[in-house]
Amino acid sequence: MSPIFLNKNIFKKEIVFFLILYTTLIISFFLGENSTGGAIGDYLNQKKASQAFASDFLKTFYEYDAYGTRHSPILIIFLSLFEKIKLPDIFIRLIHLHICLFLPFIFYKCLTVKFSE
């Protein structure tokens, strides 16, 4: 077998592996899986902050510490844009899931650009 064929076969296996993992995430999303027990509380706290940003941006921005969330206000401000246009909660959660899936890849790309050697 040629090395090119072996590389393509490994690449196909990686794609299948990641598709299986992605499918399990989507299934658990729709089934409402919360194995850690803290995820739903964290989400509800983030949801309050997002709704507050959508209704009164400046007041929420200046009083952001009162919400006690561990997340960056940038993400919550971004999600509040969807609250403003009255997007259903399940779509906002799906968008948030996919943003969180892509952030490690973006971070990795930033590191490879910064430390190209």
Side-chain angles (χ1 to χ4, degrees):
M1 283 191 183
S2 70
I4 295 172
F5 178 73
L6 288 175
N7 288 340
K8 286 183 182 179
N9 193 20
I10 290 172
F11 185 67
K12 287 180 186 178
K13 287 180 183 178
E14 288 174 349
I15 289 176
V16 169
F17 178 69
F18 285 117
L19 283 176
I20 290 170
L21 290 176
Y22 177 73
T23 305
T24 60
L25 272 175
I26 296 298
I27 290 170
S28 64
F29 175 83
F30 285 111
L31 292 178
E33 186 268 331
N34 185 22
S35 61
T36 62
I40 192 70
D42 191 33
Y43 171 73
L44 293 175
N45 190 23
Q46 179 178 322
K47 178 84 173 165
K48 280 192 272 185
S50 177
Q51 289 171 338
F53 269 118
S55 63
D56 189 3
F57 180 81
L58 285 176
K59 180 182 176 203
T60 307
F61 186 73
Y62 289 126
E63 298 173 357
Y64 185 70
D65 289 339
Y67 289 95
T69 182
R70 297 173 293 187
H71 298 284
S72 167
I74 295 170
L75 173 65
I76 297 177
I77 291 168
F78 180 72
L79 293 175
S80 74
L81 297 174
F82 299 119
E83 292 280 347
K84 260 191 179 207
I85 62 172
K86 307 287 189 223
L87 200 63
D89 191 46
I90 193 155
F91 291 129
I92 296 173
R93 289 177 51 219
L94 270 172
I95 291 168
H96 184 254
L97 171 73
H98 287 89
I99 289 171
C100 290
L101 285 175
F102 283 112
L103 282 178
F105 295 112
I106 294 169
F107 180 66
Y108 173 74
K109 287 307 230 178
C110 290
L111 287 177
T112 56
V113 168
K114 174 80 175 160
F115 303 105
S116 60
E117 294 176 6

